[in-house]
Amino acid sequence: MADSIAARKGPVSRFLDSDLWFSFSHSPLTIVSAIVALALIGAAVLAPVIAPHDPFNLATLNLMDAFNPPAWVEGGNPDFLLGTDDQGRDMLSTIMYGARISLFVGFCSVIFAMVLGVTLGLVAGFVGGTTDAVLMRIADIKLTFPAILVALLVDGLVRAALPRELHDRIALWVVIFAIGISNWVQYARTVRGSTLVEKNKEYVMAARVIGLSSTRIMTSHVLPNVMGPVLVIATLNLGFAILAEATLSFLGVGVPPTQPSLGTLIRIGNDFLFSGEWWITVFPGITLALMVLSVNLLGDWLRDALNPRLR
Amino acid sequence: MPLLEVRNLRVEFPTRRGVLTAVDDVSFSIDEGEVLGVVGESGAGKSITGTAIIRLIEPPGRIAGGEVLLAGRRIDNIAPEEMRHVRGKQIGAIFQDPLTTLNPLYSIGRQLAETMQTHLGLSDRDARARAIRWLEDVGIPGAAQRIDAYPHQFSGGMRQRVVIALALCAEPKLVIADEPTTALDVSIQAQVIALLKRLCREHGTAVMLVTHDMGVIAETADRVAVMYAGRIAEIGPVRDVVKGARHPYTEGLMGSIPSLTHRVERLRQIDGSMPRLTDIPRGCAFNPRCTKVFDRCRIERPDLMATDGPTRAACWLYAKGEARDAA
Amino acid sequence: MFAFIVSRLFQALPVMFTVSLISFAMFAYVGDPVAIMLGQDYTEAQRQALIRDLGLDQPFFVQFFEYLKNAVQGEFGLSYRLARPVSDLILERAPATLELSFTAAFLALAIGVPMGVYTGLYRESWLSRFFLTISLIGVSLPTFLIGILLILVFAVMLGVLPSFGRGDTVAIGWWTTGFLTASGLKALILPSITLGLFQMTLIMRLVRAEMLEVLRTDYIKFARARGLSNRAVHFGHALKNTLVPVITITGLQLGAIIAFAIVTETVFQWPGMGLLFIQAVSNADIPIMAAYLMMIALLFVIINLVVDLLYYLVDPRLRGSLAGSAR
């Protein structure tokens, strides 16, 4: 009976009646993090439109504007709300562009890791045998090393293998590749586990009996069943990926300084910490922390909401 | 004075779609040395009643009303620390699945000794000696050697024997056995029940035996309470409930038991299924499935009342002024 | 026990082999060591001589075997950039990293585990909520930012703690320690907090999750039903059962601490292996990268072995079956 009622309602009201929406609307912290995350993403995506200055247009930069403190501090310039850095770039605008890079790298590497991990997991679980054994052994070895170290190594290797000029041009993609490659194992393991379970269920048997190909069964029958946990991992990993990019950039091996991400900005600001220009470090830092915190809170919530037993 | 008296017990589980009443206005008593069987389908509230008595309901579930008296003293409102001394020492418990009831990381001897030392203040040596004796009592072969073995080294049946020893080792007056044989092989079930029966008789322990197996009840219990949708439908001496049930639900339940001694044309079944706690019908919870339903059943909820037999039943058929052939 | 250790070591061999293959492949095929070592001006004859000296004209497996032989003896060649033996460089730097990592790991465990137990047991209390909020911030703040903020507050604003370096060290043989001088200990405070905070919050959240999981099990309910004290239930039965997964993750986290030391060492200009490694990465100094990779792999093998031994001690179920067979 309950099913027939749900079927009569539209998708919107069905969503509003779902447990997911209920737990969302009853968790103020989750709502706040969703708003913060959306605001940051919005500011990053729209940076070219809404940023008050263009920090990368050398023509508009004026070294006279360098080291302006935030507008509300004595000596601040109302033109530069959050102050300026050593080259006279507006911090607010730089941060918006920086967040853009950070989020871009974060999203891309999560998608890369997800596609790679899900594919390998599906293949390992479905094909089994030697393929499975080899893939999982690689996963084990990979897991032995902390992700950040793997990312560093991959980045270092590519740096050594490619000519400098070429490397600088594709540095952004190298970072995405390095972070993605250091992060696929969790997806692969989860998907493999669920695939092994799903594989022996009757509907997959039935799909085989009516002659569907393995690829078809995997993508259209098994995949939808494992997407829940994958989504949770992806959300939690987004926070990690953003952190990893920031860490690499902070270490000076991430994105090139011509395209500064939040991590690069913090690295640059770190040099001025002792001379009292705290705002060059602190504001990108706060932005980064807010970004990761809100994404992590959303991930935590999603995990709890999709897995009520853990509450 | 009865050993255990439960008065109007009510257990609620708040959920986002409203409060579920898992146990609703349940009253019964158990005398010293008596075995009370509690039967019903899954979800009827029988296990929760047992858990509520020892106050181990998982939050957010809670006792929302009623009283529980042990030897005339209320135990439903005493401090948690006091309640702790009731558990184990005065009321023992046996759970359903012996594979998960024992802590896998401690030897069975340690778990026995720990229980006895908590309640009886024994020295390490005495506790160990007694633990060996208990293991012998529950029929563990080579008890003296196996006392230091870990749970995973025992079979399911042997583990349930250890659980029985753990429940009885502090000499409680009452044992609440929650489906003690359900998880066991059929061939072992009878042994474990026989063991429980023997030990409780020897030690004068009363038993609240929660099960959905009428065969076990008929064999073991002195009295039976039949539960349906969180309430007691009928309660009375075991013979009378089995042979001369008054409540239509009990009648149906008994009609569904195969018998070796009597020839029965065919086993009966009750149409439909027990309502979920979310939509218990108005009036008597059994009314949609009842063959003798009449108007009053759909409006008013019956309490336990005297019948024309030795049992008490929650059924309007036995209300004063209600014609027996009203259906 | 001995057989167990040996079998574990044998299982670690493929890991070490794979890692050394990767690091050798890096060594042999990435970048052009000859060009780097020769600098700008060289003759073809010089080039050929160097290739012969380095053995680069040999077949792959001969080179690999040579590399392995040297690696086992602790020889990893010359740093391209510093033109010194990599083994010397690493030995020089190792004490700084190990002391920092050890202190951080100790902090993470000594604070993280009790906080996890507390928040698991009293999950509704305000202090638990406070801890959880802190932990979320700890997980979300990047290590380097924590370091920078600590420097800003304690070194720049308050000026009470040093912001870089190890302070005075005392040499004991080839090992240099900062544990024995006041300035060494002072210098250790900020970096070890920076490094330990993330792992601490992870350990806390893990212990809490495991604690919640274990507290729901039947054997904990049964331990309560036996009337054991809260102390015995929580710390005897529950905590011990959370240990197995906690040990695993903590083992992995110890490795992560060594890796994250790279970041901390960069922030605090801590003269350890991490700083050496990051300089190697930015300068494509392959021999150092390869050697560091092998070192870390070896460290992980050792940590895993210790983790397995701890399992063996904690969980009796593993004692019978673990030796000789895979997990």
Side-chain angles (χ1 to χ4, degrees), chain A residues 95-117:
Chain A
I95 288 173
M96 287 167 86
Y97 278 93
R100 198 176 153 87
I101 304 268
S102 291
L103 280 169
F104 179 75
V105 173
F107 273 111
C108 287
S109 53
V110 163
I111 290 168
F112 174 57
M114 188 163 77
V115 171
L116 185 67

Side-chain angles (χ1 to χ4, degrees), chain A residues 17 19 22, chain B residues 16-17 276:
Chain A
D17 192 46
D19 288 341
F22 178 86
Chain B
R16 80 171 252 222
R17 310 231 183 234
R276 280 184 298 180

